Amino acid sequence: MELPGGFLVIWITVILIVQNPSNVEGRFHYHKKQKNKASPVPPPAYSPDPSPPFPVNPPPTVPSDPSPSSPENPTPVPSDPYPNDPGDSNSGSTFDVMSFGAVGDGCADDTAAFREAWKAACAVESGVVLAPSNYCFKITSTIFSGPCKPGLVFQVDGVLMTPEGPDVWPESDSRNQWLVFYRLDNMSFTGSGTIEGNGEKWWDLPCKPHRGPNGSTKSGPCNSPALIRFFMSSNLVVKGLSIKNSPMFHMKFDGCEGVLIDELSISSPKLSPNTDGIHIENTKSVGIYNSKIANGDDCISIGPGCSDVDIAGVTCGPSHGISIGSLGVHNSQACVSNISVRNVAIRESDNGVRIKTWQGGTGSVSGILFENIDMENVRNCILVDQYYCLSKACLNQTSAVYVNDIQFRNIKGTYDVRNTPIHFACSDTVACTNITMSDVELLPYEGELVEDPFCWNAYGTQETLTIPPINCLQEGEPQSVVEASKYGC
């Protein structure tokens, strides 16, 4: 039957709308609103509540549990941006790397196939680069760059791995990074597969710190690649992957805004050097949820230029704990604000929660909440160190990054008695101020407490009795107050 021209145009438009209801909807990470009642530890799986982002520098309060939306009026959840499963291999927007010449046997170099699949997916809305299950793909250092059409997905269901060590790393490739995602917006990196870093031979380079009884560090080439790096990108989702054995940092975010990380498994051996799990710097509006991280360095590290970061439902250990810093190296300015770490478990780790800054820096760390944290056999449970130094050659300096408005609430568990569980070492000239201690109970994992908590030029309030008692925390404000113009951000 022949249709009139106008009716045909309307009919085609209706079909397109029905088939593509949400292809161009952006994904943003939003923080939870907060209230004054905490939930117990350990928590159930945490789901972010997409409420409007909180202001940049409010006094942090105890956050609420997420409230589910009603079935009648569901709220879009950032961790499920594609309810229609764009990873379906039957979809016309899915670009399977096998169709671009990938072999997937773990030996052949499949880099070219991934690059071609990326170009094809980048050019269409909601395109999917698919690395299918039951295959192992080896690729060399690659930058996957944008801008791309919105809704791009890089889906790994098989195994994606690096060349096996520095001896077989192509000389023309960067030794500072492996996979780089650059200048992207509204992109997901997801799947049920594994990212294998083959880091063992990198960890054994002579320059690396060997931590055995007779460990040593020798001169020689030292550059090792970060496994996955997101650079100058926004509205990102990273979910579901297993990331293992990175030569250096497992995952790094530089200059990004709007990041949701959910349900990751990150693992490398306890003594693997410099293998931070997730590192962020100059990055804003970040949520890290429901993930397990075991590695040889910081579980999560927060560098300069970060704000509005929410971490919840994470288990760390073994690791070096969750760290803000190091900040202020080489007399630089560092600004970190509005960080919330809650409903977290830290096991068998060198550190629990810590802030570390170099002497000589400027800027500030403010609006920090550590809450509902369960610790087991942690060596330095609560640590603020403004004398951070990697050698004995660091000189004393008067300037420091100002540490202010830090809350430690409902932190309980056991500590390794080789170190005191609470340590506040603040600058002689730039005191730490407005530290709040509430419901902190830390007991020896085995043996007896040898030393009392340590404080130096630290001021704050104990809302409840702390175990062990922290009588060294000074009340009120220091006599000399820092210059806001020099240390503000």
Side-chain angles (χ1 to χ4, degrees), residues 100-161:
F100 291 83
V103 178
D105 63 355
C107 297
D109 184 352
D110 290 325
T111 308
F114 275 81
R115 288 175 177 168
E116 292 304 312
W118 174 270
K119 289 179 183 178
C122 178
V124 301
E125 292 186 0
S126 300
V128 180
V129 177
L130 177 63
S133 58
N134 301 319
Y135 293 95
C136 179
F137 305 95
K138 183 175 72 175
I139 67 173
T140 59
S141 177
T142 305
I143 298 177
F144 295 105
S145 62
C148 294
K149 295 287 187 179
L152 178 63
V153 177
F154 193 110
Q155 181 169 329
V156 178
D157 291 334
V159 176
L160 191 58
M161 72 176 189

Side-chain angles (χ1 to χ4, degrees), residues 86-109:
D88 186 349
S89 60
N90 295 321
S91 170
S93 61
T94 295
F95 300 89
D96 190 326
V97 296
M98 303 298 289
S99 300
F100 291 83
V103 178
D105 63 355
C107 297
D109 184 352

Side-chain angles (χ1 to χ4, degrees), residues 278-301:
I278 299 171
H279 175 76
I280 61 175
E281 59 183 67
N282 297 312
T283 294
K284 302 176 180 179
S285 298
V286 179
I288 303 174
Y289 305 118
N290 304 322
S291 297
K292 295 182 178 180
I293 302 173
N295 59 314
D297 211 303
D298 291 339
C299 170
I300 299 171
S301 54

